[in-house]
Amino acid sequence: MSVLRLSILLSVAAILGCGESVPTKELAHKVPADWETVKADNYFRFRAPSNLQKQDVQGFDSLVGEFVSPTLTLSFDYGAYSDPLDREGFEGFWTTIDGRRARIARNEELIGVHFPDVNGGPKQPMTTKLTMIAKLNGAPPEIGETIFQTIEFGK
C-alpha cells in the first residue's frame, strides 16, 4: 500500500472514529460501606448514601426517579429521550461503567452521567438511554462520580 493511500485511510478512520473529542477517564472511587443499593425496577441498580429519601415522581415515556438529602438531589431518566448533557456549559469525559460507554459531564451546579445506549428500556421500541444527575447542594462533585460508577444494568 502506498504512503498516500495509507495516509488517506488513516485520516478517514480518524474522522469517523472521533465524533467526540472528549477525553476518556477511568473511575476508581471508594464506595462507602454504609451506602444502600437502590433498584430501578429490573432495569438497573446503583449504590447511594443512605440518607437519600425517595420522592414520588411520574414519567410519561420513561422510568424516572428522584432522591433527596440536605446536600444532594439525585435523579434519573431511563428512556429514549434522556438528556445527553452535551449542551454549552457542560464539560465532560467518557468512561466505561458496567461494560457500557458513558459520558460524565458537569457544570457549576451539577454532575451527570449519560449512557447513550443501554437497550431494553420500558415502553421503548427505540434505543434506550440513561441519564442520572446529581444536583450538588453542598456535596462534593466526587459523590456523583462515586454513585455513577456503581450503576449495574439488568440486575
Side-chain angles (χ1 to χ4, degrees):
M1 182 180 286
S2 74
V3 173
L4 178 59
R5 283 177 132 175
L6 181 59
S7 177
I8 292 171
L9 181 62
L10 291 174
S11 296
V12 169
I15 291 168
L16 293 177
C18 295
E20 300 276 346
S21 61
V22 179
T24 299
K25 176 179 163 184
E26 294 299 318
L27 300 177
H29 299 286
K30 184 172 171 46
V31 179
D34 64 340
W35 281 17
E36 295 180 358
T37 299
V38 178
K39 288 184 78 169
D41 288 341
N42 289 323
Y43 299 107
F44 68 97
R45 69 180 178 184
F46 58 93
R47 298 202 46 216
S50 58
N51 68 338
L52 287 173
Q53 298 296 312
K54 185 175 188 207
Q55 305 298 300
D56 288 329
V57 292
Q58 181 66 43
F60 175 71
D61 61 355
S62 59
L63 176 66
V64 296
E66 184 174 88
F67 303 84
V68 177
S69 80
T71 60
L72 178 69
T73 299
L74 184 68
S75 60
F76 66 80
D77 181 356
Y78 185 78
Y81 304 106
S82 296
D83 184 352
L85 306 173
D86 61 357
R87 61 194 169 279
E88 188 173 331
F90 280 88
E91 294 183 17
F93 61 88
W94 287 99
T95 191
T96 301
I97 299 172
D98 195 33
R100 290 172 172 83
R101 187 170 182 240
R103 181 173 184 268
I104 294 180
R106 67 178 66 178
N107 65 18
E108 291 180 15
E109 298 178 347
L110 57 88
I111 182 169
V113 63
H114 177 72
F115 294 84
D117 186 358
V118 296
N119 297 323
K123 310 174 203 171
Q124 298 299 327
M126 300 182 217
T127 300
T128 303
K129 303 166 178 61
L130 170 65
T131 299
M132 184 178 286
I133 295 174
K135 184 173 182 186
L136 308 170
N137 306 320
E142 295 77 24
I143 197 167
E145 287 185 9
T146 305
I147 293 168
F148 304 155
Q149 79 181 12
T150 68
I151 295 171
E152 295 179 303
F153 292 92
K155 311 290 182 184

